Amino acid sequence: MRISSRCSFWVMLFFAAYSLQAQSDFYRFRSDFSIKEKETGKDQGRLITGTIFFDKNRHKTVYDIRFPEPEQWFVRDTFMYRIKSDTLLSQQMVPPVGEFSIFNLILSQQLNDFGLAKVGYTPGDIQQGGGQVISRWLPPEKLNPYLGPVDLALENKRLTAAAFYDKDQKLISKFYFQDYTVHNSLPVPGKIYQIFYREAGEFVRIMTLNNVIINQVDEDSTYDFELPPGG
Amino acid sequence: MLIASITSASIPAKNLSHIFRDDLSKIDSEMALITALEQAVLKSKVTQSQLLREGDPMAQYALEGGDISGSLFGGTAPQEGALLGIPGFLWGFCCSVVGVFLVYIAIDDPIVKKKEGRQAIFGCAAGTLLWVALYAYLVLWASFY
C-alpha cells in the first residue's frame, strides 16, 4: 500500500512535470487582428484593428492598435497601461485577461475543450452526426447553482463551435471557429464568430486573425515590454 | 485538481445537433458595412479621426469613442454587466479575493456590481473551501504515509 502510494505520487509528479514541459513548448503568440461587432438590426458597429503580442510565460500581452486610433495597450498580470505616442495615457487594474484569452488556450493546446477540463467541467452526453462530435460539458456538481453546461462541437478533432448556458439552461452565447491554419503544428482559427443572446437583442462579434507567428524570437522588446515612466 | 475529481450529476441533454446551425453568412451580410470599412482601413491604413476629417462616408459606420476594452478582451457589450462576459462567481472562484476586488472596481453599474459582486464573494468562499479541503486531505495523506 505504502509502495503503491509512493509510486502513484511519483507517477503524478512525472505527469505534472511532463505537462508543464509540454505547455512551455508554445509560449508566444503574435497575430494581426480585426474585431468587428454590432448589435443586430443596427448599421453602426465597432471596428478595431491591430496586432496582438502575447507571452504566456511572462504573463504579458500587448495590443498594438491601429484603428480607431493608434495606441498601445500593455497588459501585465492585472495591470493595464495605455500608451499613445510614447506617452502614458492611463493605467488601471483589469482582470487577468491573458489567462482567459483564446491565445492562451491555443498555446496551451486547450482550445479543443475550451479549457473546460482544467476548471473542472466533465463531458456528459456525446452525440455524433454530420462529421461533427457534439458533447455537453457539465460544471462540477457543487457549482451547479451558479454555472450552466457548455456544448462543444468538434470536427476533425478541432473545436468548431461552443454554446454557453446559464444555471437555468438559458443560452447565453455561442462561438464558431473557422478557417483553421496550422502554425508550428498548432491549429489556429482564422475567424471566430461570437453571438451573445441578451435581453436587449443579439450582439455579434467577428474576430479575424492573420499573419500568425508562434514563438517569435526577434521581437523580445515588444513581448517583454518595459513599463513606461510612471507606470 | 480537486475540482476535477468531483463528479457531476448528469443533466439530460436534448438533441444537440440542432444547436450549431446558425447561418454565418447571414451574420457576414449584416456586418457588410463594417467589413467594407475594415477593408478600406487595412488598405489605406487610415484612422477614424482621419476619416472623419476627410468627411469619408464610411466613417459613419464605426462607433466613435467609448470603452473598447470589452471588445478587446472578449466580453459582451459593456452594459451587459458580467465582467468580460465571465460570471462573477468564476472571478471569485478562480482569483479569490483579487477576483472579488476586480469585479467591484471594474463594474460601474451599481445594480450589476451588487449582483456580480455577491456572486464573486460566493465564488471566493467556494474556492477557499475547496483549497482548505485539499490542504486537509494532503496533510492527512502525508501523516498516514
Side-chain angles (χ1 to χ4, degrees), chain A residues 59-199:
Chain A
H59 306 281
K60 291 182 175 181
T61 313
V62 178
Y63 294 90
D64 187 6
I65 300 166
R66 284 189 286 278
F67 189 91
E69 299 299 331
E71 59 180 78
Q72 288 81 43
W73 289 30
F74 293 165
V75 183
R76 189 185 69 176
D77 296 320
T78 55
F79 282 93
M80 188 195 76
Y81 306 85
R82 283 181 63 200
I83 313 285
K84 189 167 188 175
S85 306
D86 296 325
T87 304
L88 179 63
L89 288 183
S90 65
Q91 59 185 59
Q92 65 184 84
M93 278 191 82
V94 294
V97 287
E99 304 303 314
F100 289 97
S101 71
I102 188 129
F103 317 115
N104 193 30
L105 289 178
I106 292 168
L107 292 181
S108 306
Q109 301 178 71
Q110 293 173 358
L111 188 58
N112 277 359
D113 69 5
F114 218 88
L116 293 174
K118 196 180 175 186
V119 295
Y121 274 73
T122 48
D125 286 359
I126 298 176
Q127 297 176 12
Q128 294 190 36
Q132 279 195 327
V133 177
I134 302 175
S135 55
R136 170 153 289 192
W137 287 66
L138 307 171
E141 191 177 351
K142 289 188 177 175
L143 304 186
N144 277 337
Y146 309 103
L147 301 173
V150 180
D151 293 331
L152 299 181
L154 275 79
E155 206 169 317
N156 296 325
K157 297 182 179 175
R158 288 178 184 169
L159 182 68
T160 53
F164 291 79
Y165 303 84
D166 67 10
K167 61 182 172 62
D168 300 318
Q169 312 271 317
K170 186 182 159 199
L171 184 62
I172 305 169
S173 62
K174 280 187 201 170
F175 287 64
Y176 286 91
F177 301 85
Q178 292 201 332
D179 302 341
Y180 273 92
T181 51
V182 177
H183 305 268
N184 291 34
S185 79
L186 274 184
V188 178
K191 199 169 186 182
I192 302 166
Y193 292 80
Q194 301 174 52
I195 309 167
F196 298 98
Y197 301 93
R198 311 176 311 163
E199 285 179 16

Side-chain angles (χ1 to χ4, degrees), chain B residues 56-75:
Chain B
D56 192 313
M58 296 279 246
Q60 66 180 305
Y61 303 131
L63 289 166
E64 292 175 54
D67 183 9
I68 62 171
S69 59
S71 314
L72 277 181
F73 301 153

Side-chain angles (χ1 to χ4, degrees), chain B residues 61-130:
Chain B
Y61 303 131
L63 289 166
E64 292 175 54
D67 183 9
I68 62 171
S69 59
S71 314
L72 277 181
F73 301 153
T76 55
Q79 66 269 25
E80 190 60 10
L83 189 54
L84 296 186
I86 297 167
F89 183 87
L90 271 186
W91 283 116
F93 187 80
C94 298
C95 306
S96 191
V97 179
V98 175
V100 177
F101 181 62
L102 288 169
V103 166
Y104 270 101
I105 63 163
I107 296 176
D108 293 330
D109 187 321
I111 297 169
V112 178
K113 187 196 287 270
K114 191 176 175 185
K115 178 186 152 215
E116 293 295 311
R118 198 174 152 186
Q119 292 296 313
I121 290 169
F122 286 145
C124 179
T128 306
L129 279 175
L130 281 172

Side-chain angles (χ1 to χ4, degrees), chain A residues 34 37 45 69 174 176 205, chain B residues 19 22 28 38 49 63 71 75:
Chain A
S34 83
E37 60 183 26
E69 299 299 331
K174 280 187 201 170
Y176 286 91
R205 175 179 298 134
Chain B
I19 293 166
D22 294 280
D28 284 329
E38 176 194 23
S49 54
L63 289 166
S71 314

